[in-house]
Structures are given as C-alpha cells and as structure tokens.
Amino acid sequence: MSGPSDYQPSNPALQWIERRLPIIGLVHSSFVVYPTPRNLNYWWTFGAILSFMLGMQILTGVILAMHYTPHADLAFKSVELLVRDVNYGWLLRNMHACGASMFFFAVYIHMLRGLYYGSYKEPREVLWILGVIIYLLMMATGFMGYVLPWGQMSFWGATVITNLFSAIPYVGESIVTLLWGGYSVGNPTLNRFFSLHYLLPFLIAGVVVLHVWALHVAGQNNPDGVEPKTEKDTVPFTPHATIKDGFGVACFLLLYAWFIFYMPNYLGDADNYIPANPGVTPPHIVPEWYYLPFYAILRSIPNKLAGVIGMFSAIIVLVFLPWLDSAKTRSSKYRPLAKQFFWIFVVVCILLGYLGAQPPEGIYVIAGRVLTVCYFAYFLIVLPLLARIETPRPVPNSISEAILAKSGKAVASIAVALVAAGALFVGSLGDARAESDQKPPSNKWSFAGPFGKYDRGALQRGLKVYKEVCSNCHSLNYIAFRNLADPGGPGYSVAQAAAFAADYKVKDGPNEQGDMFERPGRTADYFPSPFANEQAAAAANGGKAPPDLSLITKARSYERGFPQFIFDFFTQFQEQGPNYVDALLQGFEENPPAGVTVPEGTYYNKYYPGHAIKMPKPLSDGQVTYDDGSPATVAQYAHDVTTFLMWTAEPHMEARKRLGLQVFVFLIIFAFLMYFTKKKVWADSH
Amino acid sequence: MNPDASTIAAGAPIEVDLSPVAEGQDIKVFWRGKPIYISHRTKKQIDEARAVPVASLPDPQADEARVKSGHDQWLVVIGICTHLGCIPIAHEGNYDGFFCPCHGSQYDSSGRIRQGPAPANLAVPPYTFVSDTKIQIG
C-alpha cells in the first residue's frame, strides 16, 4: 500500500501470479518491509489487537448466526438453547458477547492514544476521520447485537435508542417507523436489526482497509511525534512490529479469557436474562458500559432534542479534532499543559460513564451537567486555547535522538490524574445514597471461584425440593430430563434420568386421529410446565405469573456499589443471583416490622424489592424428606434448591472453568515465549 | 422498510368494554403493540386536573380537550412516555397520575406532563364512544 513494490517471488508459480496481480508484493511492502518507527511503545499494539478482535467477532458471529432464530417469539429461547445444546455454544456466545466489550475497550485505548500523541494532526486527518467512522459503525453494530437476545434490556434499550430519533423535527416520527417496521418495537424490528448486525461488520472491515491504507500512506505516528528521517529511525515491520503486536495480543487475550471463562456476565445486565416483555419496563434501563458516557450526556440535558444533539455531537466533535487542536507539536510528551488536561479528560470520561449507570436524580444530574460541560470544553475551549498559549518543550530532531535521550517519565502527570481521581472517588462516596433496602448476605457456594464445582449432593437434594415444592407453580422450561445425566450436572446415570422422566406425564400429539394424548416422559422431553400458558399461571396466582426458574439465578441481582464492583472483578465474585434467591426463600416474616403494611394477597419479604411478594412462604422445616441425612431445615432447603437453580442457569459451568484453566496455562506460556522472542528480535534495535 | 400489510392489518381498530372498570381503577390494553391506559377517574382526579391553570403547564392543554365531553370520567391515553418510550406506572407520582420509572417524568390525572424530561403530554389515541360503556380505539 506504500507505492509499487519491487518485490519478486522466487517461485515460478508465484512469479506468474505476481505479474498478473501483484498481491504478494502488496502484502510484502505493507506488512514485511514496511518501515515502522523504532520508538513505538505498547500503546501502538492496539491496532493489531483491534484487527484481531474484528476477525474474532466476525468468526464467532457467523457461527452463532447458524444457530440463532431472529423471531420475537423464538430469539430468547434460541440463544439459551445454543448455549446449552450446541457444542461449545457457551464458549461461542461468551466469546462474542465479551468480545464486543473487549473490542470497545481496545478501541477506547486506541482513540485515547491517538489523542495523547496527536495522531490526528497533519498529514493524518483522513486517517483519523476514517477511525471515527469505524467507531460510529461499531456503536451501531454493538447496539443492534445487544438487541438480538431479545431480553428485557434488549427490548427496552431498543425502545429508548430508537426513540432518540423521534426528537428530530418533522421527519423524526417517520424515521422511527422505518426503524421499527411497525407501530412499536417488535418482530420486524428484530428482523431488520439482525440483518444489519450481520452486514455492518463487513462495512467496518471495508473501512478498516481504508484506515490501514491511509496509515501506510502517511506512515505511523510515534510517541515523540517527529517524522522518521533516516533509515536509522525505522525498523522493518516484520519481524519487529509483528512479534511485538503478537505479544500485545497475547497479553490482551489474557484479559479477554478472564471474562470469557470466569466472568462472562460481569459486564452484562441481569435483566437481560428475562425474556422481552412489552408490557413491563425494567425499573432502571442502562445501556452497555461502552455507551454510558454518551448516555450520561443525553440525560444531563433537560430538553429532549438538545439532549439527542448533545449526545451525537459528543462523537461528531472528534471529526473536527484535527482543526480544533492546531498546535504544531504533536505529542503531549512535549506539551506540559496538554498532558495534564488529557488526563483530566480521561477522568471526566470515566466519571461520565459512572454517572450514566446511576439513576437520574439529585446530585447525579448536577454532576452529569458539570461533566458534560467539561467534556465539550476540552475539545472546544481547552485544545484551541492551548494551541495558542502553551509553550511546548523542545522536540528532538529525530527518533534516534529521542531514543538516546530516553528519560523523563510522565510520573508527575500520572500522579496528578491519580490525585484527581482519588479526590473524586472520596467525593462520590459522600454522595452515595443511603441504602434503605437490606442486601442479601453473601453465602459460601461450592461453585464460586476459579475452581468451583457443583456439590452433587446439593444438586440432587435441590432437584427434590424443586420437584416436590417449586414445580407446583414454577416451570423449568429450558431443562430437559436428559440434562440430569449430563456431565457437570446432578450426576445421575442415563437410566436414572429415564426413570425420572417416566414419572411425568407429557402431552404429545396429534396422533393419527388428530387427538392430543398423554404418554410417559422420555429423556428428550423438557420439564413440563405446571400451567398451560402464562395467562393461566397468572390467573391461578393472584394476577402475577410465577417466573420460570431455569435462569432465575442469573436474572436476579443487586447493586454491589462502588468500589466493591471493582474488587469483584478480581475476586471473581458473581454470586449475587444465588445469594438473592437463597435470601428470598428465607426472608419471609409473618409480622412485618412496625409501620410497614403489605397489600392484601401479598406477603412480607425482607429481601424482595418493595417487600410485598405475591408468593406465600414456600418452604417450612421438615417439608421435604432428605434420604442422605442432611438437615430438613428451611436454610438447607434454600441452599440446595439455589445450588440446583444455579446449575439450571449455568449447566456448563464446570466445563467452562476447566477449559479456562487450560487456556490460561497456555496463554501465559505463550505470552512469555512471545516476550522473549520479541526481546531477541529487538535486541539490536534499542 | 415501512410496515408490511399484515402489520397494518393487525393494527385495525379494537373495541373495549368499559363496564368492568370501577371508579378509581384503570386497565391497560394493547393496540398496535402500544399499551393504552383507560382510567376511570374519580371526582377528585377530575377536579385536580381542571383546577390547574392551563398556561402554567409545560405542554398547555385543557383537560376538557383530552377527554370526550359527556364522558369526563374516562381518560384514554397511550401509555408511552413522550421522553424515550418507557411505560409509565399508573397511580404513582406527585400528581395523582402517571410516573415514568426510566427518567422520572411525572404526568397528572389528565396524562399531562408536569415534571421531568418528557417534552409533551401522553398522547390521546383516536377513539370514539360506541355506547356509554364501550369505546372503539383506532
């Protein structure tokens, strides 16, 4: 891509091709001999990481699409079944869902690197603008992908985001109707989002080609922001950059694998494990974390149209960055003021992200407004002003000179940023609202942690509790009798599962006479539902259908709060669901505390949001007889049935954690090998 | 990419029987995939809605213009918040009307926006009284 190549392959067959299509020469000149600045640091490996992630998303996405059904009635179920029944379906889904987050994480670092080192300045304006276009396409793709599982957050996220367009005067309503294909978000919406979600990644790939082309015309920027002048300033792309990028990707994979194998739901929302329901709005609609700063900007502006304009301008302003920042010095390394403002800007973005996830009330709204002003001020006031008033430090004459004079770290600015973040953190602790609701206690679970396994005894006892108590009202739609004999499950044999199934009467048909009939269950059958349909379930239970329990331990959660949720990432804590279910089953109190009354037909429960639950106290001591001598107490029942329901929600958890360990051992060894190879390759170049 | 024929056909008018809805109660029906709240308002709710000076409202509209005359106790509104499309909860908020849990918009007992980020009142769908206890929406 950097001009005609004089590369000549030695193989006659390749020579024949090369004369007709010089593709090998193109690859050779772009990715082998291409001169890359000698002083690039590891922030420059994110280009390769992003290419890798795009390939990964397309690959996993194409396979997922083979198993997914884009229909409003079937989408949620098809995602659950592909996780449960498709070979390594859980792995594909986790790779794709966490991959989206990792993709955005990498793109944010890539963008901030460009911002810090002035990579958008002349002659790289087009390169930068192509990057902004890729980012916009990524946001659209990510949003539509999040809609596809058709859970509550998918549906309501789609409703909120498509409604943004209704703010446009005159044509807004027509645009929204075009997006919906109906009078509200529904099946036609899901179909077109699926189609576009499949299309857009290939558009991204196309723009990435232009992005790389533009990069190879202008050449890479570098941490010192001076153009390479002589041969001594550069090294050939292969092996130097290739191996360095390889090491960068290996390290990034470690983080990615941490999510895939150990924290697959950490970045997701529990509400998305509840199937979409157009009649119930979740109390708190939150977009995916990578949109949160923009969502905070949208919400902090009280006027609807202005809010939408503000949100889109926050991204569009990046297009004008090359002209807003007219400073001649590229790298912030030599711009003492720009460097400090850059780190303040990073903190502003992180805090906006935090606010985007908080309810829009009180101090959060005011803080959101202040930070929105700060966000735009950085681009519209600070950068143009700095270009005029700042005195940059002298820039080295060449890259080689910069490498020789390597010293003077950015310790001071990092310290400033840390102090600022710390101060804001302390401030935010003061703002935190008083929690009136009691949080469920954290229990000890056998399945917690990186080596967690299900307690077989608890699974079998839990199944008994479900069968004798819960199953009178609650269905278990995604579990088949055959699953009872699956590895990593309750540990029954196939014969035992068949005998268990045969106890059930299953409706089948129609037979040759056209009648429905009942027959004994087979292992391929699913647990039958106690009610014929949701309306019957609601009618028999005081107007509210008892929820399906297959996913209940993943569909319920509670706020861990800041900073606890950061520690949870490292300790792999993700047992909010089981803690809640266990606490709820034991949280019934016959006499509500003084001053609290619950409406007729509901029962007081300490841990239920709002405390008035329709379900009467389901368990009492001695209700279920255990064969293995475990205590027949409510606490034991709750613990066992919760363990069982964790298994129904994550039937492949043991396989996931086992494979995770193997992948980690491999990746750590691989990363070390890459590191030492890199050191060897670069030995002469530093 | 506009709605196809079957979607349009499914959006035909519907009839709703109001006789089971007692005073102070409301029901939610779906029309064109949208929830429609039909409230049987109490005397107090009607008086509250009419006591407010219309000019002081963010989206000025008299209560009389939002209901059918002679059927003043019936409020029929599309239960979609005019901010970003969430479903407000009936009988909540400070104005005896609707409260949107998403971004905190509050509507009064006439479905008019009183507080919060929503720009407009809850929309009134096209409907007519077929008889005293039956309406046709659409």
Side-chain angles (χ1 to χ4, degrees):
Chain A
M1 290 186 196
S2 52
S5 169
D6 48 8
Y7 175 73
Q8 272 304 320
S10 49
N11 183 308
L14 293 180
Q15 277 174 4
W16 186 89
I17 295 173
E18 189 66 10
R19 271 201 303 281
R20 285 151 184 85
L21 179 72
I23 188 163
I24 305 165
L26 180 72
V27 171
H28 187 264
S29 63
S30 303
F31 300 107
V32 180
V33 290
Y34 180 74
T36 177
R38 258 174 68 183
N39 57 340
L40 296 189
N41 55 29
Y42 277 105
W43 300 116
W44 259 265
T45 58
F46 278 85
I49 289 170
L50 283 163
S51 312
F52 171 81
M53 285 311 301
L54 178 63
M56 194 60 118
Q57 288 301 85
I58 291 180
L59 186 70
T60 52
V62 167
I63 302 174
L64 284 171
M66 295 174 189
H67 302 285
Y68 170 77
T69 316
H71 187 282
D73 296 339
L74 305 169
F76 187 88
K77 190 167 186 183
S78 78
V79 171
E80 262 320 303
L81 294 186
L82 93 81
V83 166
R84 286 155 198 270
D85 291 342
V86 173
N87 295 319
Y88 291 100
W90 58 268
L91 179 60
L92 283 170
R93 201 234 170 150
N94 289 353
M95 283 170 80
H96 199 71
C98 303
S101 284
M102 290 289 101
F103 202 171
F104 273 96
F105 173 67
V107 92
Y108 283 134
I109 292 186
H110 193 63
M111 289 162 77
L112 288 173
R113 189 267 288 154
L115 202 57
Y116 185 83
Y117 292 113
S119 300
Y120 46 84
K121 292 183 190 221
E122 199 273 334
R124 298 185 180 84
E125 297 94 329
V126 171
L127 172 63
W128 173 261
I129 292 169
L130 285 168
V132 177
I133 293 171
I134 295 173
Y135 176 56
L136 279 171
L137 286 171
M138 275 176 67
M139 292 186 103
T141 313
F143 158 64
M144 290 194 227
Y146 192 58
V147 173
L148 300 185
W150 211 240
Q152 271 291 68
M153 241 355 124
S154 301
F155 183 91
W156 289 99
T159 302
V160 167
I161 302 297
T162 51
N163 264 309
L164 291 179
F165 293 91
S166 71
I168 304 169
Y170 307 114
V171 292
E173 294 295 332
S174 323
I175 292 177
V176 174
T177 307
L178 280 180
L179 287 172
W180 288 344
Y183 302 106
S184 55
V185 174
N187 190 48
T189 323
L190 178 59
N191 271 305
R192 57 196 60 189
F193 278 18
F194 177 58
S195 169
L196 291 174
H197 182 70
Y198 206 107
L199 167 71
L200 289 185
F202 297 98
L203 290 187
I204 294 178
V207 185
V208 165
V209 169
L210 296 181
H211 191 68
V212 174
W213 185 9
L215 172 72
H216 284 204
V217 170
Q220 284 164 290
N221 185 27
N222 59 73
D224 293 295
V226 287
E227 297 292 337
K229 294 192 177 86
T230 61
E231 285 265 309
K232 268 166 51 189
D233 290 343
T234 62
V235 287
F237 192 89
T238 301
H240 293 80
T242 325
I243 201 77
K244 197 171 178 178
D245 286 349
F247 175 60
V249 169
C251 291
F252 191 77
L253 276 175
L254 280 167
L255 176 67
Y256 184 20
W258 185 264
F259 280 108
I260 295 175
F261 293 104
Y262 296 117
M263 307 292 286
N265 295 309
Y266 179 73
L267 296 167
D269 197 296
D271 273 334
N272 225 26
Y273 281 107
I274 304 171
N277 183 350
V280 180
T281 319
H284 188 189
I285 296 181
V286 191
E288 288 285 76
W289 69 267
Y290 34 86
Y291 304 128
L292 286 174
F294 304 104
Y295 194 60
I297 291 175
L298 167 78
R299 293 196 311 189
S300 60
I301 302 175
N303 178 290
K304 181 175 169 180
L305 178 60
V308 174
I309 292 174
M311 185 180 78
F312 283 107
S313 325
I315 302 164
I316 301 303
V317 73
L318 293 172
V319 170
F320 301 100
L321 188 56
W323 297 278
L324 287 169
D325 175 15
S326 54
K328 288 281 173 290
T329 310
R330 281 206 195 101
S331 172
S332 295
K333 215 168 144 182
Y334 302 104
R335 300 180 60 189
L337 288 174
K339 192 191 291 181
Q340 287 170 27
F341 278 106
F342 169 83
W343 287 109
I344 293 172
F345 174 73
V346 172
V347 172
V348 164
C349 289
I350 292 171
L351 287 177
L352 273 174
Y354 175 73
L355 289 177
Q358 302 309 313
E361 53 198 30
I363 184 81
Y364 295 123
V365 177
I366 297 158
R369 286 181 189 157
V370 172
L371 290 171
T372 301
V373 171
C374 293
Y375 180 93
F376 284 105
Y378 178 72
F379 291 108
L380 301 177
I381 300 171
V382 173
L383 285 180
L385 204 62
L386 282 184
R388 283 163 184 81
I389 62 165
E390 186 183 31
T391 325
R393 298 200 289 122
V395 173
N397 288 320
S398 72
I399 291 175
S400 320
E401 191 186 302
I403 291 173
L404 289 175
K406 206 172 183 179
S407 64
K409 293 275 177 223
V411 177
S413 62
I414 291 172
V416 167
L418 282 179
V419 168
L424 287 158
F425 161 56
V426 173
S428 72
L429 280 186
D431 301 342
R433 294 167 306 157
E435 288 293 337
S436 55
D437 287 343
Q438 202 177 344
K439 286 186 180 167
S442 287
N443 295 327
K444 260 187 90 67
W445 297 105
S446 62
F447 47 79
F451 305 104
K453 280 187 161 44
Y454 292 118
D455 173 355
R456 305 273 166 251
L459 285 183
Q460 297 189 356
R461 293 191 299 269
L463 172 63
K464 193 163 194 224
V465 175
Y466 169 75
K467 189 184 173 185
E468 291 183 17
V469 185
C470 317
S471 70
N472 291 319
C473 301
H474 290 279
S475 56
L476 199 62
N477 284 335
Y478 300 120
I479 303 299
F481 297 118
R482 64 185 157 85
N483 295 133
L484 298 175
D486 282 350
Y492 287 112
S493 67
V494 176
Q496 282 172 312
F500 188 90
D503 281 349
Y504 283 84
K505 288 273 173 283
V506 174
K507 203 169 195 183
D508 201 349
N511 61 15
E512 284 171 17
Q513 280 72 46
D515 301 323
M516 302 300 282
F517 60 92
E518 283 199 336
R519 59 165 175 77
R522 303 184 193 123
T523 48
D525 292 321
Y526 286 81
F527 273 80
S529 191
F531 299 102
N533 50 54
E534 200 185 322
Q535 284 74 9
N541 289 283
K544 189 174 181 302
D548 184 80
L549 293 186
S550 317
L551 284 165
I552 202 81
T553 49
K554 287 206 301 196
R556 297 290 182 273
S557 188
Y558 50 89
E559 286 285 319
R560 291 281 284 175
F562 181 77
Q564 189 62 45
F565 77 89
I566 296 174
F567 303 144
D568 289 346
F569 172 73
F570 297 100
T571 58
Q572 297 191 358
F573 175 85
Q574 48 193 332
E575 278 75 39
Q576 288 104 314
N579 283 343
Y580 171 79
V581 172
D582 187 313
L584 183 89
L585 289 171
Q586 302 181 60
F588 287 88
E589 277 170 20
E590 284 197 16
N591 303 310
V596 179
T597 48
V598 294
E600 205 174 325
T602 62
Y603 304 86
Y604 180 82
N605 190 304
K606 233 187 334 187
Y607 298 105
Y608 189 72
H611 302 305
I613 189 169
K614 283 266 183 191
M615 173 170 76
K617 186 173 188 287
L619 296 166
S620 46
D621 288 344
Q623 189 177 0
V624 179
T625 318
Y626 280 154
D627 308 326
D628 62 356
S630 298
T633 59
V634 170
Q636 184 68 30
Y637 293 152
H639 177 269
D640 291 345
V641 82
T642 306
T643 306
F644 173 69
L645 292 175
M646 191 64 223
W647 169 73
T648 63
E650 279 277 346
H652 296 296
M653 188 208 72
E654 291 189 7
R656 166 160 67 80
K657 290 183 174 173
R658 192 168 54 239
L659 185 60
L661 184 64
Q662 294 163 358
V663 167
F664 262 86
V665 170
F666 170 80
L667 278 180
I668 289 168
I669 294 171
F670 182 68
F672 269 106
L673 289 176
M674 289 303 267
Y675 179 70
F676 290 117
T677 318
K678 186 244 149 196
K679 267 193 94 93
K680 184 101 182 104
V681 166
W682 282 79
D684 306 331
S685 307
H686 275 307
Chain B
M1 279 172 46
N2 264 321
D4 64 17
S6 70
T7 309
I8 294 168
I14 54 163
E15 284 195 348
V16 183
D17 182 15
L18 303 180
S19 50
V21 190
E23 190 172 296
Q25 278 194 335
D26 48 16
I27 55 168
K28 187 161 73 173
V29 297
F30 275 85
W31 176 63
R32 294 191 166 177
K34 293 173 181 165
I36 311 258
Y37 277 114
I38 303 174
S39 303
H40 193 164
R41 300 189 292 175
T42 58
K43 181 88 176 51
K44 178 171 161 278
Q45 284 181 304
I46 301 172
D47 291 344
E48 275 172 359
R50 303 210 160 160
V52 186
V54 172
S56 70
L57 296 171
D59 181 12
Q61 209 178 6
D63 182 57
E64 286 84 350
R66 297 176 54 80
V67 296
K68 305 283 179 200
S69 62
H71 301 284
D72 299 303
Q73 73 274 39
W74 294 104
L75 175 74
V76 182
V77 286
I78 298 180
I80 292 183
C81 180
T82 54
H83 181 225
L84 291 172
C86 298
I87 299 182
I89 302 163
H91 295 299
E92 273 198 25
N94 300 335
Y95 300 95
D96 221 354
F98 304 86
F99 170 77
C100 180
C102 290
H103 303 105
S105 293
Q106 303 200 21
Y107 300 88
D108 65 10
S109 54
S110 184
R112 292 173 300 195
I113 180 67
R114 297 293 285 274
Q115 195 184 325
N121 302 333
L122 292 179
V124 178
Y127 71 98
T128 50
F129 275 87
V130 182
S131 71
D132 270 353
T133 59
K134 191 177 260 187
I135 59 169
Q136 177 181 304
I137 300 174

